[in-house]
Amino acid sequence: MEEPNETERPLPDSKSEEITPATPIPSGADRTAPEAVEPPAPPADRRRFRHPLFVRLAHWLNVVCLPILLMSGFQIFNAHPALYWGERSDRDRPILAMKGVRTESGEIRGVTTLFGHPFDTTGLFGASPDDSGKRYRRGFPEWATLPAHQWLAMGRRWHFFFAWVFVINGLLFAAYSFASRHLWRDLLPRQEDLRKIGRSIRDHLFFRHPAGEEAAHYNVLQKIAYTGVVFVLGPLIVLTGLTMSPNLDAAFPGLLTLFGGRQSARTIHFIAAFTFIGYTLVHVLMVAITGLWNNLRSMITGWYSLPESGEKHEETN
Amino acid sequence: MKKRISLGRRQFLTRAAQLSGLLFLAGCDSLSQKPWFEGFLSSAEGVTRRVQRLITPRKAMAREFTEADLSPLFPVNGTENPDTDEYLALVENRFADWQLEIGGLVEQPARFSLAALRRLPSRTQITRHDCVEGWSAIGKWKGVPLSVILDQVRPHPQTRYVVFHSADPDEMGQYYYESIDFEDAYHPQTILAYDLNDQPLPIGNGAPLRLRVERQLGYKMAKYVMRIELVENFDSIADGKGGYWEDQGYEWYAGI
């Protein structure tokens, strides 16, 4: 929709140098900015300092951690490519199972069974090619796992190292958002945000995105998505991962009660991983269509420039 | 930052992003082959062990279940039958000639026949077995607490680990072995099990005696235990990592 360079046009030139206050306005601090009362001012500086260094570092650390955790997770899953509910794995009652089945002609086909319904997933799940193109039994294919070949020990090494990085990063971010009030200021949806949710969903569906001052803050769907990922999905995937630890189950038996058993926890861990994939796909799509370079730059340098309101949608209230 | 990003630069950045994605994946894979990098990643194991031990009460018990929770069939994993002449001879005699040997850094080395072990105090527990592969099974185990044996042989003060030597060799001739430290060795649920689900331990599950360490993963629980050795360190045993799977890159501390 929007041409990316359109959003870059308002980037400050020499003129803005003098307008830009020496102290950048921290995001959100200008909620009562006079724009609303004063007559429309000439296009003032559109730059906003949106992401503090700490937030940017935490973000990019997650960009490193998530693909590694996901792919090494698939490597670990491949050691027993089936999911169950409850405490134990009754082999005849999986929720999901990926199998390589040899047909009468001697060929190996990948069969994925979900709630008892078999699907042919040859090439992707259950059976997929190795480097030489020869098909063999495998849960997730080689291109999706870390390491590519079946190597559980190394998959676990990758997974647990980056799990620590991810957890520490998440805890520091949570502490920061509480201490700096980032959570309340920018992330948690407010009452008035929630009232606009219908309109926001409609706008997103029609790819209409806020411009001008309205773009200075996250919209309600962004707030729900970010808060949900950081404070619900993140803890969920960590806690279900920890529930798979026999030692931590002894130390905190409540984990087993909470998730309904170790195998349930493993299944929820898997679903949470795919929720992360879904979130990331939508996140990257939204970043791309609402001004890729502006968004990327804001997460690298901290500076975001408000999109021009030329194409703004109708305000009804 | 002040300059407008030119198309050329943008294209360059896109290419760079694509390329770095590919390099990332290829890089991760080749890094996996480097011993120094494996060592780097493995540093997390020590952190995991220390933190888990710190937050776990010494006597925290693994959950115990009821008979209603038992797996319909307790799986056989790893060695299904050691299949050596020595082992087959023991099977022939229903392990009447089998003796558990306990030695190393102890005051009082000892040997126990299966009948003698069965006469010692026992513990029965219905617990969940968690394989490193990801599956779990619930079984009812009966056996003698390892602490009972250790109290009889009296370890030397400098002893740090208990090593279990098994009867099953791999195709290279390396026998299975495992080790645990005293924190786990004296845990009430750490037993040398001779019964599974009220029957003598089947061959597939490690007859005549297997270790149960309920707060760690399955590979720590050596089957076909023949000999227990108390040591100060395990540098001189096999590849020196403290266990058969540890020598192949798995964690010595298998608490997760």
PDB file of all heavy atoms in Angstrom, chain A residues 286-313:
ATOM      1  N   MET A 286       3.482  -6.816   9.338  1.00  0.00           N
ATOM      2  CA  MET A 286       3.047  -5.468   9.720  1.00  0.00           C
ATOM      3  C   MET A 286       4.204  -4.481   9.658  1.00  0.00           C
ATOM      4  O   MET A 286       4.022  -3.348   9.213  1.00  0.00           O
ATOM      5  CB  MET A 286       2.447  -5.477  11.136  1.00  0.00           C
ATOM      6  CG  MET A 286       1.186  -6.296  11.315  1.00  0.00           C
ATOM      7  SD  MET A 286      -0.053  -6.050  10.052  1.00  0.00           S
ATOM      8  CE  MET A 286      -0.574  -4.388  10.407  1.00  0.00           C
ATOM      9  N   VAL A 287       5.375  -4.928  10.071  1.00  0.00           N
ATOM     10  CA  VAL A 287       6.558  -4.066   9.984  1.00  0.00           C
ATOM     11  C   VAL A 287       6.806  -3.692   8.532  1.00  0.00           C
ATOM     12  O   VAL A 287       7.080  -2.540   8.191  1.00  0.00           O
ATOM     13  CB  VAL A 287       7.793  -4.786  10.577  1.00  0.00           C
ATOM     14  CG1 VAL A 287       9.072  -4.104  10.145  1.00  0.00           C
ATOM     15  CG2 VAL A 287       7.695  -4.839  12.096  1.00  0.00           C
ATOM     16  N   ALA A 288       6.637  -4.680   7.633  1.00  0.00           N
ATOM     17  CA  ALA A 288       6.943  -4.452   6.222  1.00  0.00           C
ATOM     18  C   ALA A 288       5.930  -3.494   5.591  1.00  0.00           C
ATOM     19  O   ALA A 288       6.311  -2.615   4.819  1.00  0.00           O
ATOM     20  CB  ALA A 288       6.967  -5.778   5.472  1.00  0.00           C
ATOM     21  N   ILE A 289       4.650  -3.635   5.912  1.00  0.00           N
ATOM     22  CA  ILE A 289       3.665  -2.821   5.188  1.00  0.00           C
ATOM     23  C   ILE A 289       3.376  -1.480   5.859  1.00  0.00           C
ATOM     24  O   ILE A 289       2.690  -0.654   5.290  1.00  0.00           O
ATOM     25  CB  ILE A 289       2.338  -3.592   4.984  1.00  0.00           C
ATOM     26  CG1 ILE A 289       1.649  -3.879   6.312  1.00  0.00           C
ATOM     27  CG2 ILE A 289       2.558  -4.866   4.182  1.00  0.00           C
ATOM     28  CD1 ILE A 289       0.326  -4.561   6.143  1.00  0.00           C
ATOM     29  N   THR A 290       3.927  -1.252   7.050  1.00  0.00           N
ATOM     30  CA  THR A 290       3.691   0.070   7.652  1.00  0.00           C
ATOM     31  C   THR A 290       4.960   0.916   7.603  1.00  0.00           C
ATOM     32  O   THR A 290       5.138   1.811   8.428  1.00  0.00           O
ATOM     33  CB  THR A 290       3.227  -0.057   9.113  1.00  0.00           C
ATOM     34  OG1 THR A 290       4.223  -0.773   9.844  1.00  0.00           O
ATOM     35  CG2 THR A 290       1.906  -0.784   9.214  1.00  0.00           C
ATOM     36  N   GLY A 291       5.803   0.652   6.623  1.00  0.00           N
ATOM     37  CA  GLY A 291       7.018   1.441   6.493  1.00  0.00           C
ATOM     38  C   GLY A 291       8.210   0.656   6.997  1.00  0.00           C
ATOM     39  O   GLY A 291       8.707   0.886   8.088  1.00  0.00           O
ATOM     40  N   LEU A 292       8.649  -0.260   6.127  1.00  0.00           N
ATOM     41  CA  LEU A 292       9.699  -1.201   6.525  1.00  0.00           C
ATOM     42  C   LEU A 292      10.923  -0.497   7.094  1.00  0.00           C
ATOM     43  O   LEU A 292      11.384  -0.808   8.180  1.00  0.00           O
ATOM     44  CB  LEU A 292      10.083  -2.071   5.315  1.00  0.00           C
ATOM     45  CG  LEU A 292      11.219  -3.047   5.530  1.00  0.00           C
ATOM     46  CD1 LEU A 292      10.858  -4.067   6.592  1.00  0.00           C
ATOM     47  CD2 LEU A 292      11.594  -3.745   4.231  1.00  0.00           C
ATOM     48  N   TRP A 293      11.440   0.487   6.334  1.00  0.00           N
ATOM     49  CA  TRP A 293      12.720   1.078   6.751  1.00  0.00           C
ATOM     50  C   TRP A 293      12.555   1.983   7.949  1.00  0.00           C
ATOM     51  O   TRP A 293      13.411   2.037   8.815  1.00  0.00           O
ATOM     52  CB  TRP A 293      13.390   1.795   5.574  1.00  0.00           C
ATOM     53  CG  TRP A 293      13.772   0.788   4.563  1.00  0.00           C
ATOM     54  CD1 TRP A 293      13.168   0.564   3.362  1.00  0.00           C
ATOM     55  CD2 TRP A 293      14.773  -0.215   4.717  1.00  0.00           C
ATOM     56  NE1 TRP A 293      13.742  -0.515   2.744  1.00  0.00           N
ATOM     57  CE2 TRP A 293      14.741  -1.020   3.537  1.00  0.00           C
ATOM     58  CE3 TRP A 293      15.695  -0.543   5.705  1.00  0.00           C
ATOM     59  CZ2 TRP A 293      15.584  -2.101   3.344  1.00  0.00           C
ATOM     60  CZ3 TRP A 293      16.543  -1.615   5.500  1.00  0.00           C
ATOM     61  CH2 TRP A 293      16.480  -2.377   4.333  1.00  0.00           C
ATOM     62  N   ASN A 294      11.433   2.661   7.997  1.00  0.00           N
ATOM     63  CA  ASN A 294      11.166   3.504   9.156  1.00  0.00           C
ATOM     64  C   ASN A 294      11.096   2.645  10.423  1.00  0.00           C
ATOM     65  O   ASN A 294      11.698   2.963  11.451  1.00  0.00           O
ATOM     66  CB  ASN A 294       9.853   4.241   8.927  1.00  0.00           C
ATOM     67  CG  ASN A 294       9.583   5.283   9.991  1.00  0.00           C
ATOM     68  OD1 ASN A 294      10.506   5.824  10.591  1.00  0.00           O
ATOM     69  ND2 ASN A 294       8.315   5.549  10.236  1.00  0.00           N
ATOM     70  N   ASN A 295      10.371   1.530  10.306  1.00  0.00           N
ATOM     71  CA  ASN A 295      10.225   0.645  11.459  1.00  0.00           C
ATOM     72  C   ASN A 295      11.556   0.011  11.861  1.00  0.00           C
ATOM     73  O   ASN A 295      11.900  -0.045  13.033  1.00  0.00           O
ATOM     74  CB  ASN A 295       9.219  -0.465  11.155  1.00  0.00           C
ATOM     75  CG  ASN A 295       7.795   0.056  11.137  1.00  0.00           C
ATOM     76  OD1 ASN A 295       7.460   0.943  11.916  1.00  0.00           O
ATOM     77  ND2 ASN A 295       6.974  -0.472  10.256  1.00  0.00           N
ATOM     78  N   LEU A 296      12.269  -0.466  10.830  1.00  0.00           N
ATOM     79  CA  LEU A 296      13.561  -1.103  11.117  1.00  0.00           C
ATOM     80  C   LEU A 296      14.512  -0.100  11.764  1.00  0.00           C
ATOM     81  O   LEU A 296      15.172  -0.411  12.747  1.00  0.00           O
ATOM     82  CB  LEU A 296      14.188  -1.623   9.829  1.00  0.00           C
ATOM     83  CG  LEU A 296      13.930  -3.080   9.474  1.00  0.00           C
ATOM     84  CD1 LEU A 296      14.709  -3.440   8.227  1.00  0.00           C
ATOM     85  CD2 LEU A 296      14.334  -3.997  10.635  1.00  0.00           C
ATOM     86  N   ARG A 297      14.535   1.100  11.168  1.00  0.00           N
ATOM     87  CA  ARG A 297      15.444   2.111  11.707  1.00  0.00           C
ATOM     88  C   ARG A 297      15.103   2.415  13.162  1.00  0.00           C
ATOM     89  O   ARG A 297      15.971   2.566  14.006  1.00  0.00           O
ATOM     90  CB  ARG A 297      15.361   3.388  10.869  1.00  0.00           C
ATOM     91  CG  ARG A 297      16.334   4.474  11.335  1.00  0.00           C
ATOM     92  CD  ARG A 297      16.115   5.772  10.589  1.00  0.00           C
ATOM     93  NE  ARG A 297      14.715   6.112  10.621  1.00  0.00           N
ATOM     94  CZ  ARG A 297      14.038   6.544   9.557  1.00  0.00           C
ATOM     95  NH1 ARG A 297      14.633   6.676   8.401  1.00  0.00           N
ATOM     96  NH2 ARG A 297      12.747   6.826   9.678  1.00  0.00           N
ATOM     97  N   SER A 298      13.791   2.460  13.447  1.00  0.00           N
ATOM     98  CA  SER A 298      13.419   2.813  14.820  1.00  0.00           C
ATOM     99  C   SER A 298      13.887   1.739  15.791  1.00  0.00           C
ATOM    100  O   SER A 298      14.186   2.029  16.939  1.00  0.00           O
ATOM    101  CB  SER A 298      11.912   3.026  14.927  1.00  0.00           C
ATOM    102  OG  SER A 298      11.227   1.796  14.890  1.00  0.00           O
ATOM    103  N   MET A 299      13.949   0.494  15.329  1.00  0.00           N
ATOM    104  CA  MET A 299      14.393  -0.557  16.239  1.00  0.00           C
ATOM    105  C   MET A 299      15.921  -0.658  16.267  1.00  0.00           C
ATOM    106  O   MET A 299      16.496  -1.339  17.108  1.00  0.00           O
ATOM    107  CB  MET A 299      13.742  -1.883  15.844  1.00  0.00           C
ATOM    108  CG  MET A 299      13.688  -2.945  16.943  1.00  0.00           C
ATOM    109  SD  MET A 299      13.362  -2.383  18.621  1.00  0.00           S
ATOM    110  CE  MET A 299      11.635  -2.697  18.836  1.00  0.00           C
ATOM    111  N   ILE A 300      16.585   0.038  15.325  1.00  0.00           N
ATOM    112  CA  ILE A 300      18.058   0.025  15.333  1.00  0.00           C
ATOM    113  C   ILE A 300      18.591   1.282  16.031  1.00  0.00           C
ATOM    114  O   ILE A 300      19.429   1.205  16.923  1.00  0.00           O
ATOM    115  CB  ILE A 300      18.605  -0.081  13.893  1.00  0.00           C
ATOM    116  CG1 ILE A 300      18.220  -1.439  13.295  1.00  0.00           C
ATOM    117  CG2 ILE A 300      20.120   0.092  13.881  1.00  0.00           C
ATOM    118  CD1 ILE A 300      18.466  -1.553  11.817  1.00  0.00           C
ATOM    119  N   THR A 301      18.083   2.461  15.612  1.00  0.00           N
ATOM    120  CA  THR A 301      18.600   3.709  16.178  1.00  0.00           C
ATOM    121  C   THR A 301      17.715   4.245  17.293  1.00  0.00           C
ATOM    122  O   THR A 301      18.139   5.116  18.051  1.00  0.00           O
ATOM    123  CB  THR A 301      18.670   4.805  15.094  1.00  0.00           C
ATOM    124  OG1 THR A 301      17.339   5.129  14.679  1.00  0.00           O
ATOM    125  CG2 THR A 301      19.461   4.329  13.889  1.00  0.00           C
ATOM    126  N   GLY A 302      16.469   3.792  17.339  1.00  0.00           N
ATOM    127  CA  GLY A 302      15.546   4.312  18.332  1.00  0.00           C
ATOM    128  C   GLY A 302      14.597   5.357  17.761  1.00  0.00           C
ATOM    129  O   GLY A 302      13.530   5.600  18.299  1.00  0.00           O
ATOM    130  N   TRP A 303      14.993   5.966  16.621  1.00  0.00           N
ATOM    131  CA  TRP A 303      14.213   7.089  16.078  1.00  0.00           C
ATOM    132  C   TRP A 303      13.187   6.612  15.080  1.00  0.00           C
ATOM    133  O   TRP A 303      13.495   5.958  14.096  1.00  0.00           O
ATOM    134  CB  TRP A 303      15.132   8.117  15.424  1.00  0.00           C
ATOM    135  CG  TRP A 303      15.915   8.877  16.442  1.00  0.00           C
ATOM    136  CD1 TRP A 303      17.172   8.602  16.874  1.00  0.00           C
ATOM    137  CD2 TRP A 303      15.460  10.005  17.167  1.00  0.00           C
ATOM    138  NE1 TRP A 303      17.541   9.493  17.826  1.00  0.00           N
ATOM    139  CE2 TRP A 303      16.514  10.375  18.031  1.00  0.00           C
ATOM    140  CE3 TRP A 303      14.276  10.754  17.189  1.00  0.00           C
ATOM    141  CZ2 TRP A 303      16.414  11.448  18.910  1.00  0.00           C
ATOM    142  CZ3 TRP A 303      14.179  11.829  18.049  1.00  0.00           C
ATOM    143  CH2 TRP A 303      15.253  12.167  18.904  1.00  0.00           C
ATOM    144  N   TYR A 304      11.960   7.025  15.325  1.00  0.00           N
ATOM    145  CA  TYR A 304      10.835   6.659  14.467  1.00  0.00           C
ATOM    146  C   TYR A 304      10.296   7.952  13.896  1.00  0.00           C
ATOM    147  O   TYR A 304      10.220   8.968  14.591  1.00  0.00           O
ATOM    148  CB  TYR A 304       9.771   5.983  15.328  1.00  0.00           C
ATOM    149  CG  TYR A 304       8.513   5.567  14.614  1.00  0.00           C
ATOM    150  CD1 TYR A 304       8.528   4.476  13.745  1.00  0.00           C
ATOM    151  CD2 TYR A 304       7.313   6.247  14.836  1.00  0.00           C
ATOM    152  CE1 TYR A 304       7.364   4.075  13.109  1.00  0.00           C
ATOM    153  CE2 TYR A 304       6.147   5.840  14.205  1.00  0.00           C
ATOM    154  CZ  TYR A 304       6.178   4.758  13.341  1.00  0.00           C
ATOM    155  OH  TYR A 304       5.029   4.359  12.719  1.00  0.00           O
ATOM    156  N   SER A 305       9.928   7.946  12.607  1.00  0.00           N
ATOM    157  CA  SER A 305       9.321   9.171  12.101  1.00  0.00           C
ATOM    158  C   SER A 305       7.858   8.893  11.785  1.00  0.00           C
ATOM    159  O   SER A 305       7.529   7.912  11.128  1.00  0.00           O
ATOM    160  CB  SER A 305      10.097   9.704  10.910  1.00  0.00           C
ATOM    161  OG  SER A 305       9.661   9.111   9.746  1.00  0.00           O
ATOM    162  N   LEU A 306       7.005   9.754  12.294  1.00  0.00           N
ATOM    163  CA  LEU A 306       5.565   9.528  12.166  1.00  0.00           C
ATOM    164  C   LEU A 306       5.180   9.561  10.697  1.00  0.00           C
ATOM    165  O   LEU A 306       5.551  10.487   9.987  1.00  0.00           O
ATOM    166  CB  LEU A 306       4.802  10.626  12.917  1.00  0.00           C
ATOM    167  CG  LEU A 306       5.098  10.706  14.411  1.00  0.00           C
ATOM    168  CD1 LEU A 306       4.324  11.864  15.024  1.00  0.00           C
ATOM    169  CD2 LEU A 306       4.731   9.416  15.099  1.00  0.00           C
ATOM    170  N   PRO A 307       4.430   8.570  10.243  1.00  0.00           N
ATOM    171  CA  PRO A 307       4.013   8.576   8.843  1.00  0.00           C
ATOM    172  C   PRO A 307       3.145   9.793   8.567  1.00  0.00           C
ATOM    173  O   PRO A 307       2.402  10.249   9.426  1.00  0.00           O
ATOM    174  CB  PRO A 307       3.203   7.282   8.709  1.00  0.00           C
ATOM    175  CG  PRO A 307       3.533   6.466   9.900  1.00  0.00           C
ATOM    176  CD  PRO A 307       3.944   7.403  10.974  1.00  0.00           C
ATOM    177  N   GLU A 308       3.241  10.322   7.342  1.00  0.00           N
ATOM    178  CA  GLU A 308       2.428  11.476   6.949  1.00  0.00           C
ATOM    179  C   GLU A 308       0.973  11.073   6.920  1.00  0.00           C
ATOM    180  O   GLU A 308       0.636   9.971   6.524  1.00  0.00           O
ATOM    181  CB  GLU A 308       2.830  11.932   5.562  1.00  0.00           C
ATOM    182  CG  GLU A 308       3.518  13.265   5.582  1.00  0.00           C
ATOM    183  CD  GLU A 308       3.883  13.690   4.178  1.00  0.00           C
ATOM    184  OE1 GLU A 308       4.441  12.875   3.438  1.00  0.00           O
ATOM    185  OE2 GLU A 308       3.584  14.840   3.829  1.00  0.00           O
ATOM    186  N   SER A 309       0.119  12.003   7.289  1.00  0.00           N
ATOM    187  CA  SER A 309      -1.292  11.647   7.382  1.00  0.00           C
ATOM    188  C   SER A 309      -2.022  11.865   6.073  1.00  0.00           C
ATOM    189  O   SER A 309      -3.221  12.045   6.061  1.00  0.00           O
ATOM    190  CB  SER A 309      -1.948  12.423   8.514  1.00  0.00           C
ATOM    191  OG  SER A 309      -1.471  13.741   8.499  1.00  0.00           O
ATOM    192  N   GLY A 310      -1.314  11.922   4.951  1.00  0.00           N
ATOM    193  CA  GLY A 310      -1.959  12.102   3.641  1.00  0.00           C
ATOM    194  C   GLY A 310      -2.997  11.039   3.382  1.00  0.00           C
ATOM    195  O   GLY A 310      -4.079  11.294   2.843  1.00  0.00           O
ATOM    196  N   GLU A 311      -2.689   9.839   3.795  1.00  0.00           N
ATOM    197  CA  GLU A 311      -3.556   8.728   3.442  1.00  0.00           C
ATOM    198  C   GLU A 311      -4.374   8.288   4.642  1.00  0.00           C
ATOM    199  O   GLU A 311      -4.778   7.157   4.747  1.00  0.00           O
ATOM    200  CB  GLU A 311      -2.679   7.560   2.991  1.00  0.00           C
ATOM    201  CG  GLU A 311      -3.285   6.749   1.872  1.00  0.00           C
ATOM    202  CD  GLU A 311      -2.496   5.479   1.686  1.00  0.00           C
ATOM    203  OE1 GLU A 311      -1.354   5.407   2.157  1.00  0.00           O
ATOM    204  OE2 GLU A 311      -3.035   4.571   1.067  1.00  0.00           O
ATOM    205  N   LYS A 312      -4.588   9.219   5.532  1.00  0.00           N
ATOM    206  CA  LYS A 312      -5.174   8.804   6.805  1.00  0.00           C
ATOM    207  C   LYS A 312      -6.631   8.365   6.639  1.00  0.00           C
ATOM    208  O   LYS A 312      -7.326   8.786   5.721  1.00  0.00           O
ATOM    209  CB  LYS A 312      -5.061   9.928   7.827  1.00  0.00           C
ATOM    210  CG  LYS A 312      -6.055  11.052   7.655  1.00  0.00           C
ATOM    211  CD  LYS A 312      -5.834  12.072   8.712  1.00  0.00           C
ATOM    212  CE  LYS A 312      -6.954  12.012   9.713  1.00  0.00           C
ATOM    213  NZ  LYS A 312      -6.859  12.977  10.763  1.00  0.00           N
ATOM    214  N   HIS A 313      -7.030   7.542   7.547  1.00  0.00           N
ATOM    215  CA  HIS A 313      -8.394   7.045   7.454  1.00  0.00           C
ATOM    216  C   HIS A 313      -9.344   8.016   8.146  1.00  0.00           C
ATOM    217  O   HIS A 313      -8.934   8.891   8.911  1.00  0.00           O
ATOM    218  CB  HIS A 313      -8.490   5.655   8.082  1.00  0.00           C
ATOM    219  CG  HIS A 313      -7.996   5.620   9.476  1.00  0.00           C
ATOM    220  ND1 HIS A 313      -6.784   5.086   9.812  1.00  0.00           N
ATOM    221  CD2 HIS A 313      -8.514   6.106  10.608  1.00  0.00           C
ATOM    222  CE1 HIS A 313      -6.602   5.223  11.101  1.00  0.00           C
ATOM    223  NE2 HIS A 313      -7.637   5.850  11.609  1.00  0.00           N
TER     224      HIS A 313
END
